[in-house]
Amino acid sequence: MRSLINTKASTRRKASIQRRNLAIATWEGVPATIFLTLLGGQFLTGFLLYLGATSAQIGFVLAITTFVNVAQIAVAFLIQRLASRKWALVLFVAMHRILWGATGLVPFLFPKAYWVMAYIALYVVAFIFNTIGAMLWNSMISDIVPARVRGRYFGIRNTVLNALSTLVMFGGGMMLDRFPHAQGFLYLYIVVWVCAIANIVVFLFYPDVTFERSVESKFLPMLRKPLNDGLFMKSTLFLGSFLFLQNLVVPLYSYIMLELLHINYQTISLLNVTQTVFMMGSFYVWGNLNAKYSNRRLLFWTLPLIAFSILAWGGLSILPTLPVLFIAHMVFGVGVGGFNQLAFNFMIGDTPKSERPMYMAMYSAITGVASFFGPLLGGQVLEWIEHWPQWVQIFGMQVMVGGAMIILAVTFGRRILRDHY
C-alpha cells in the first residue's frame, strides 16, 4: 500500500515538474517573439533600406541566417561532450541577442559610408552564435516536452506566440509610420533591448535535463547515421530543393512592397498580421490531421498551398494590388504554418532519440544551404533586371518560381513524401 502511495506521489511530482518546465518554455518565447519580430521581416528590410542597403545586400542578409546552419553538424558532435547543455544554451542565446540588438547602435558608432557593412558584420556573428543556440534549444526542447503531448503543446505555444507576434508587428508598423526613419527605429530598438535582457533572464530558469547521448563516440560514424538513412535523406534533399525555390522570392516580399509598390509600413504589417492569423488558425487543423496522417504525407499537402500563394502574385496583372496581396499572404500563412510545424515534428519525431542532434543538424545544414542561395540569388536577380519592365520585378519572378514549385511538388514530392506514411 505504501509503495502504491509513493508511486502516485512520485508520478504527481514528475507531472508537476513537467508542467513547470513547459510553462517556462512558453514564457521564454514571449520576449523572444517580441525581439525577433521587431528585428526581422519588414523591420529588418526597412532598417537596411534606412542604412542604404541595395536589394542584393538585403538578399545576402536574409540568406546568411540559414547558411550558418551548416555549423550545426559540428555542434551536434560537440554537444555530446558538454557537461551541461543549459549553460551553453544561455551563453550562445545571450551572445545572439546582444550582438543583433547592437545593430541599432550602428548609426551612432560608424560613419554613414560603413553603416551597411557594420550591420552585416554584427548580424553574421550574431547568427553564428544563434545557430549553435538553436541546435542546443532543439535538442533540449525535444527532451523537455513529452512525446505524448508534443503536438498539442507546440500547437498551443505556436498559436499564443504568433498571436503576440501579430500585435507586435502591427504596433511596430504603426510606430514607424508615425515616427519615420531614425526616431521610429530608435523606439523599436529600446523595446528590443528590454526584451533581449528579459529573454536571457528567463533562459536561466530552464531545466538542465538529462541528455541521452549518441551510441557513437567518433564524428564520422555519428555523421553516417543520418546519411545512411535513405528515406530521411531523400525527404530532406527534396525539402531543401523546395525551400531554395521558395526563398528566391518570399524573403524579398518586403523589399518589393516598400520599394516598388510603395506600400507603407502599417499596410505591410497588416498583410503580415493577416498571414500570421491564418497561420495560427492552421496549426489546429494541421495538428488534428497529424493525428491521422504521417508527417511526410502532410508535408506534401502543404507544398501546393505554398506554391499557389506565390503564383497568386500574378493576379497583380489584372486585379487591384491589396486584394491580391491579402489572398497571397493568407494562403501562404496556411501553407507555411503547416510546413514549419510538420517539418519540426519530422525532425524530432521521425528520428532516433539518441542520434537526434545529428539528424536535426543534417536537416538544418541541407535546408539552410538551400535557403541561403535562394534569397542571395533572388536579390541579385532583382538587381540584374532593374531596368526591365516593372511587372517582371513585381510579379514576373513569382509566377515563374511558383510554376516551378508546382512541377517539383507533383513529380518528386509525390513520390518521395506522399507514398511514405
Side-chain angles (χ1 to χ4, degrees):
M1 182 67 177
R2 181 176 298 174
S3 175
L4 180 62
I5 293 173
N6 289 339
T7 300
K8 288 182 177 179
S10 176
T11 301
R12 283 196 296 270
R13 281 195 298 272
K14 185 177 180 180
S16 177
I17 292 171
Q18 285 179 345
R19 283 195 294 271
R20 176 180 177 273
N21 292 342
L22 294 179
I24 291 171
T26 302
W27 279 109
E28 173 271 314
V30 172
T33 296
I34 299 172
F35 176 93
L36 297 172
T37 300
L38 292 180
L39 288 184
Q42 76 265 26
F43 303 113
L44 171 61
T45 303
F47 190 60
L48 284 169
L49 289 172
Y50 164 70
L51 296 180
T54 64
S55 63
Q57 289 171 323
I58 292 171
F60 174 80
V61 169
L62 295 172
I64 195 63
T65 58
T66 54
F67 184 75
V68 294
N69 284 342
V70 174
Q72 290 193 9
I73 292 176
V75 177
F77 173 70
L78 294 173
I79 65 171
Q80 306 291 329
R81 287 153 175 71
L82 285 177
S84 168
R85 284 181 295 174
K86 171 185 173 176
W87 296 110
L89 174 66
V90 171
L91 171 64
F92 287 108
V93 167
M95 292 305 299
H96 169 253
R97 303 298 193 256
I98 291 168
L99 287 169
W100 198 7
T103 56
L105 300 175
V106 164
F108 300 99
L109 299 178
F110 299 93
K112 189 170 184 177
Y114 299 103
W115 281 3
V116 176
M117 288 299 104
Y119 183 98
I120 291 174
L122 285 169
Y123 187 86
V124 168
V125 178
F127 274 87
I128 291 172
F129 283 108
N130 182 65
T131 196
I132 301 172
M135 179 80 257
L136 291 163
W137 187 84
N138 285 334
S139 173
M140 286 187 64
I141 202 70
S142 65
D143 292 334
I144 290 172
V145 183
R148 68 181 183 278
V149 300
R150 195 170 284 155
R152 184 182 177 203
Y153 170 75
F154 283 115
I156 294 172
R157 185 180 190 271
N158 289 342
T159 301
V160 171
L161 296 183
N162 276 281
L164 174 63
S165 178
T166 60
L167 295 174
V168 174
M169 200 181 301
F170 191 67
M174 290 180 64
M175 183 180 292
L176 286 182
D177 282 335
R178 177 78 180 274
F179 304 103
H181 306 305
Q183 187 178 7
F185 286 115
L186 174 63
Y187 293 154
L188 288 189
Y189 270 95
I190 290 172
V191 178
V192 161
W193 270 101
V194 171
C195 291
I197 295 168
N199 194 207
I200 294 167
V201 170
V202 179
F203 267 113
L204 298 175
F205 294 92
Y206 257 62
D208 203 357
V209 291
T210 305
F211 183 27
E212 184 176 333
R213 303 177 191 278
S214 171
V215 297
E216 304 290 349
S217 59
K218 296 183 178 179
F219 178 72
L220 288 179
M222 195 182 299
L223 181 65
R224 280 196 290 265
K225 289 285 186 180
L227 290 175
N228 291 336
D229 189 332
L231 185 56
F232 171 80
M233 288 304 297
K234 286 179 183 178
S235 301
T236 300
L237 288 168
F238 167 76
L239 294 174
S241 302
F242 192 85
L243 286 171
F244 168 76
L245 292 174
Q246 175 183 312
N247 282 281
L248 279 171
V249 290
V250 173
L252 295 164
Y253 280 177
S254 293
Y255 172 82
I256 292 170
M257 289 187 287
L258 285 167
E259 286 292 285
L260 303 180
L261 294 175
H262 306 293
I263 299 173
N264 61 35
Y265 283 104
Q266 188 170 337
T267 303
I268 294 175
S269 294
L270 187 58
L271 285 165
N272 287 324
V273 165
T274 302
Q275 176 180 306
T276 306
V277 168
F278 274 78
M279 185 189 302
M280 288 162 47
S282 76
F283 289 146
Y284 179 78
V285 177
W286 291 115
N288 284 342
L289 289 172
N290 206 189
K292 300 168 68 175
Y293 303 104
S294 72
N295 291 318
R296 288 185 178 88
R297 188 173 191 182
L298 290 177
L299 272 170
F300 171 75
W301 291 357
T302 68
L303 305 184
L305 290 172
I306 295 172
F308 175 77
S309 74
I310 294 172
L311 278 171
W313 278 67
L316 292 173
S317 60
I318 56 174
L319 297 172
T321 299
L322 288 182
V324 170
L325 294 182
F326 272 105
I327 291 171
H329 279 74
M330 289 173 190
V331 179
F332 186 73
V334 175
V336 82
F339 184 94
N340 291 340
Q341 185 165 312
L342 293 160
F344 186 73
N345 291 344
F346 166 66
M347 281 193 296
I348 70 172
D350 293 3
T351 55
K353 185 177 180 181
S354 62
E355 309 303 325
R356 192 169 291 153
M358 188 58 76
Y359 270 80
M360 290 191 295
M362 185 61 66
Y363 176 88
S364 296
I366 292 172
T367 57
V369 169
S371 298
F372 168 76
F373 285 106
L376 192 65
L377 180 58
Q380 189 62 61
V381 169
L382 278 180
E383 279 203 0
W384 290 338
I385 63 176
E386 184 178 0
H387 301 295
W388 289 25
Q390 198 171 60
W391 69 266
V392 178
Q393 302 172 56
I394 293 174
F395 61 83
M397 275 184 63
Q398 280 85 326
V399 171
M400 289 187 290
V401 170
M405 292 168 73
I406 288 287
I407 294 170
L408 186 65
V410 299
T411 52
F412 292 100
R414 186 178 182 87
R415 185 167 68 249
I416 293 171
L417 295 177
R418 195 175 183 185
D419 292 339
H420 298 282
Y421 57 91

